[in-house]
C-alpha cells in the first residue's frame, strides 16, 4: 500500500488542526477481503499518513498502538521486516504495540508464496472471533499464558540466527494451534477448508521426505496459505508442487494465476499452461495412488518476499488526490 | 453385530483348550471402514464370544480390558446403553476398562442420525493418531488432565438426569476439542472435512436460533457426523434440515439414502426423492442468501438409537458356521 500525500501539507500546527478538512484517498494493491490482512495494511497506512500530516513526534511503536485500534494486526504493519506484537501490561491495552525485531534487509533469502484459496461456496461464516475464543475455549488460556510466550522467544532467536528449520517448525506448529483453539471455541470457528488441509499435507509430506523443513506454512483468519521458503531454489520446487496439485482452470491464464515476482515461475521451468499440465508428480507422492490434482481449488498464487514498512512518496505524480482541487483524481 | 455360535461348544474345560481348534466367522451389519467404530464392534464381539466359549467367569468390565487391546474403544462396545472408558491407574493399562453408566432402557427417547460423509477424494491420510498427539500436542496435557475429567463428571450427571441441554453442550464441546488437539499435533491430523464443518454449522445455527440445544453432534476419527436428538419430533425436524442441505445424487434411491429406522423419514414427511427436492429451507437460514444445497456430499444417513450390548443368539439357524462341518456356511 502506498500513501501519496501533499508534501506541502506536512507542516500543520496543532492549533490549526481543528479547522482542517482532510480528503483521504486510499488505494490497495493487495487482494482485499481475501483474509490476507489487507485491512491491517490499510489501517497502518491511514495512521502512518495522518501521523506524518499532523507532525506527530512519537516513535512508530507508539503510533502502532493507535493503528492497533483499527485492526489488531495493523500495529505490525507499521514496520517492515520482522515484527512482534507485544501484549503489554495495561488492562486497557494502551501499551499493546508492535516492535520491529529485524528489518527487511536482515533475511533476504526468504521467498513467500501465498496460495489464495478459491471459495467456491460461501465459507463457514463467523461473526465471532478471538473474543469468543477467549470466552469459551478451555485451551486458549494454556496457549496464551504458556505456549505462545515460550514460542515467541524461540521465534525471535530463530529469526536472529536465520535458522530456517526452527523458524518453520515454530510457524507451522503455531498456525495449527491457533486454528485448534478456533475449533475449541463455542460455536467452533473454521477458517481452514479442505484445500488448506491439502496444502498442509503437501508441505508436511515434502518436509518429512527430505528430513528437514523445506517450507513453512501459516494460515491467518481464512483458508489462504502463506508459504515461506528459505531460498529461491526451494521456492521453485515448491511452486512446481503447488502447480502440480492445484492447476488453474482452463479459462485462467498463467499471467493472472501467478502474480508478483514471476521469476519464481521461470525458475520452476513453467512458461505456459501446457507446462503446468505436463508437470510430473513430485517424488514424495509419485508412488502413491491416487495423487489427485485439484483443478481450480487455488484461485491464484502471489510470489513475494519480506517487505518494507510504509513510506511517504515524494513523487507528486503518484498522489491519489488532485493537487488543485484536493479531491480524489 | 451378532455373534451366533454353537451352544453345545459352551462347556469347554480349561485343560481341553490347548487341543481345541476354533473356526471364527464374523458378519458386520454396520458400515465398515467408514470411521464409525465398526472395528470396536468387531473386537468386542470376538472377545465376548471367546469369553463365552471359554467359560470365562470374570465380569464384563474385566473382559472389556481385553477387548481394549484389540481396538481401544472396543472395551465400551461390550456394553449397551451409556458406557464410560476409565483410564485406570496402572502404567501398563491393565485396569483401563469400560463401565456401564446406564443401560439402553434408561433414556429411550434419544434418536441418533448418522451422516456418512462421502469421500469424493481420498481423505488426508493419517498413519499417526492419538499416540502422536500425546507426543507432540502442547494442549493435550491440559485437555487430558483437567478438561476431560471435569466434563466426564458433568456428562455422567447429564445422563443420569436425562438432561439433554447439558448432554448436548458437553458432547459438542468435547468433540470439537478432540479435533482441536488432533490439529495441534505435528504433523496435524484432520479428520473432519468441509462437509463435517457444514453439518456443525447447520446444527449450531439451529440450536442458536431456538435458544436451546435441539441436537448434539459428535465426530469420531473421521468426517462422519453422529447427531443425537432428544426425541422423535426433533429428529424429524433435523432430518428435514439434513435432507434440505445434503440431498442425494440423482442416481441414489431413497431406500438406500436413509437406512435403519425409516419411520423418522415418514415423520419428516418425506416419502420420495421429489419430496426432498421440494423441501423448503429451514426458517433459521431462510432469509440468508445463499443457502446452498450440497448434493451428494453425504453418502447416506443411518437412523438408529442407543442399543444393547453383545448377546449370545440361541437360534442355531442364525449360526455363521455349519453345525456339521464347523466351517463358515
Amino acid at each position: 500500500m502506498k500513501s501519496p500525500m501533499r508534501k506541502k501539507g506536512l507542516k500543520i500546527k496543532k492549533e490549526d488542526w481543528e479547522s482542517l478538512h482532510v480528503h483521504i484517498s486510499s488505494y490497495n494493491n493487495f487482494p482485499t477481503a481475501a483474509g490476507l490482512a489487507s485491512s491491517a495494511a490499510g489501517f497502518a497506512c491511514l495512521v502512518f499518513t495522518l501521523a506524518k500530516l499532523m507532525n506527530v513526534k512519537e516513535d512508530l511503536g507508539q503510533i502502532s498502538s493507535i493503528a492497533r485500534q483499527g485492526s489488531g494486526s495493523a500495529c505490525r504493519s507499521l514496520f517492515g521486516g520482522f515484527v512482534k506484537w507485544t501484549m503489554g501490561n495495561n488492562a486497557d491495552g494502551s501499551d499493546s504495540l508492535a516492535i520491529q525485531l529485524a528489518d527487511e534487509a536482515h533475511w533476504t533469502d526468504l521467498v513467500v508464496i501465498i496460495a489464495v484459496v478459491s471459495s467456491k461456496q460461501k465459507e463457514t461464516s463467523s461473526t465471532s472471533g478471538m473474543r469468543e475464543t477467549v470466552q469459551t475455549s478451555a485451551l486458549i488460556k494454556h496457549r496464551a499464558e504458556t505456549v505462545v510466550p515460550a514460542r515467541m522467544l524461540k521465534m525471535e532467536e530463530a529469526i536472529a540466527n536465520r535458522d530456517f528449520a526452527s523458524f518453520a517448525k515454530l510457524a507451522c506448529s503455531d498456525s495449527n494451534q491457533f486454528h485448534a483453539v478456533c475449533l475449541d471455541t463455542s460455536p467452533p470457528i473454521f477458517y481452514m477448508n479442505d484445500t488448506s488441509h491439502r496444502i498442509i499435507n503437501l508441505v508436511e509430506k515434502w518436509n518429512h521426505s527430505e528430513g528437514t523443513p523445506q517450507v513453512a506454512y501459516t494460515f491467518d483468519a481464512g483458508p489462504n496459505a502463506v508459504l515461506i521458503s528459505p531460498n529461491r531454489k526451494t521456492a521453485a520446487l515448491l511452486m512446481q508442487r503447488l502447480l502440480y496439485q492445484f492447476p488453474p482452470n482452463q479459462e485462467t491464464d498463467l499471467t493472472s494465476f501467478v502474480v508478483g515476482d514471476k521469476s519464481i515461475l521461470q525458475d520452476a521451468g513453467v512458461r505456459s499452461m501446457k507446462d503446468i499440465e505436463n508437470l510430473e508428480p513430485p517424488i514424495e507422492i509419485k508412488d502413491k495412488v491416487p495423487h489427485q490434482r485439484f483443478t481450480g481449488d487455488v484461485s491464484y498464487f502471489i510470489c513475494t518476499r519480506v517487505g518494507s514498512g510504509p513510506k511517504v512518496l515524494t513523487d507528486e505524480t503518484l498522489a491519489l488526490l488532485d493537487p488543485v482541487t484536493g479531491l480524489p483524481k
Side-chain angles (χ1 to χ4, degrees), chain A residues 1 68 191:
Chain A
M1 190 157 201
R68 186 186 56 75
Y191 290 125

Side-chain angles (χ1 to χ4, degrees), chain A residues 191-205:
Chain A
Y191 290 125
M192 296 199 290
N193 63 18
D194 287 351
T195 307
S196 316
H197 293 171
R198 286 191 191 103
I199 294 173
I200 290 180
N201 282 339
L202 177 159
V203 171
E204 291 283 0
K205 266 182 206 159

Side-chain angles (χ1 to χ4, degrees), chain A residues 85-97:
Chain A
W85 177 7
T86 60
M87 190 170 58
N89 298 310
N90 300 350
D92 64 355
S94 55
D95 60 343
S96 171
L97 46 80

Side-chain angles (χ1 to χ4, degrees), chain A residues 278 283 328:
Chain A
N278 294 337
I283 191 146

Side-chain angles (χ1 to χ4, degrees), chain A residues 200-222:
Chain A
I200 290 180
N201 282 339
L202 177 159
V203 171
E204 291 283 0
K205 266 182 206 159
W206 187 25
N207 286 350
H208 179 78
S209 76
E210 298 283 343
T212 174
Q214 305 298 298
V215 57
Y217 58 81
T218 184
F219 293 73
D220 204 344

Side-chain angles (χ1 to χ4, degrees), chain A residues 33-37 115 117 123 175 178-179 182 189-193 196 218-226:
Chain A
L36 286 167
V117 171
E123 285 315 307
S175 173
F178 162 69
H179 293 279
C182 290
I189 301 167
F190 314 110
Y191 290 125
M192 296 199 290
N193 63 18
S196 316
T218 184
F219 293 73
D220 204 344
N224 308 307
V226 176

Side-chain angles (χ1 to χ4, degrees), chain A residues 230-272:
Chain A
N231 53 55
R232 291 184 61 90
K233 197 184 152 205
T234 318
L237 294 170
L238 171 63
M239 199 73 224
Q240 288 172 347
R241 282 166 169 78
L242 290 168
L243 292 173
Y244 176 78
Q245 202 162 346
F246 305 101
N249 285 320
Q250 285 269 308
E251 63 269 27
T252 313
D253 60 283
L254 190 56
T255 317
S256 60
F257 192 59
V258 180
V259 303
D261 178 3
K262 286 177 203 290
S263 68
I264 299 296
L265 204 55
Q266 280 163 14
D267 289 5
V270 173
R271 276 163 190 82
S272 66

